[in-house]
Amino acid sequence: MIIIEVILLVAALSADSFAASVSYGLSNIRIGFFRSLLISLVCSAFLLVSVLLADLAEDYIPAILTTFGSFAILFVTGLVKLLQKPENTEPEQLSFLKTILFAVSMSLDGIAAGFGAGLAAGDGILALAVSAPIITFLTVYIGNYVGLRLNRKAPALLQKIGGAVIILIAVGKLI
């Protein structure tokens, strides 16, 4: 796999992370530097492990399991945010548990992509190991920053929209 293909794969997988991070910001939830770094490392580790183990595990883990798992976590998160009463206070920090759940739900696409691509350890592994954490970190951190900035303009409405967007991302995983 050439470096461009690796970067495109990671960028495509990070698109959901960007949208979800914007949604968290719209919901007035801050994903700080270290939480973004943790999400990036978890997502990248899932992707790398899935690529390295694709040949061994492909026959044992059905794609429907990873798809449904990602959907369920995101749908419940979005529903909670949608039903939550909007507040115009300072953004709350994403808790450690929610950070892990966010990272895992975003990682499930990485598992499916690694298996789907059927990659084996090869030339693209180093490029993947370097680019995945950087690109994922940037999409999460910048996406959340954008969401928080937009939230300050019209917080009550945007907090509801943030929850709805997370639900849409979850439904998109089923399609």
Side-chain angles (χ1 to χ4, degrees), residues 32-155:
F33 179 86
F34 291 108
R35 301 280 195 224
S36 297
L37 185 61
L38 177 61
I39 291 166
S40 169
L41 294 174
V42 170
C43 290
S44 300
F46 272 71
L47 178 60
L48 283 169
V49 167
S50 72
V51 167
L52 292 172
L53 300 176
D55 290 333
L56 298 175
E58 189 172 19
D59 296 332
Y60 302 107
I61 300 177
I64 190 73
L65 182 64
T66 60
T67 300
F68 183 73
S70 182
F71 163 79
I73 291 170
L74 288 171
F75 186 83
V76 169
T77 300
L79 190 60
V80 166
K81 290 295 157 201
L82 188 62
L83 298 175
Q84 191 174 40
K85 182 181 175 185
E87 299 176 7
N88 293 328
T89 61
E90 284 296 309
E92 69 176 86
Q93 180 71 26
L94 189 65
S95 72
F96 182 76
L97 177 60
K98 288 181 181 178
T99 300
I100 296 300
L101 288 174
F102 177 83
V104 169
S105 69
M106 293 295 106
S107 298
L108 294 177
D109 276 349
I111 291 172
F115 288 143
L119 300 174
D123 295 340
I125 297 299
L126 180 59
L128 187 66
V130 171
S131 65
I134 293 169
I135 292 171
T136 305
F137 171 80
L138 290 173
T139 58
V140 170
Y141 195 75
I142 292 170
N144 187 246
Y145 177 83
V146 168
L148 287 168
R149 294 302 164 255
L150 290 172
N151 185 5
R152 290 185 180 168
K153 307 276 187 220

Side-chain angles (χ1 to χ4, degrees), residues 8-19 106 132 135-137 139-140:
L8 288 174
L9 173 65
V10 174
L13 293 172
S14 296
D16 282 350
S17 297
F18 179 80
M106 293 295 106
I135 292 171
T136 305
F137 171 80
T139 58
V140 170

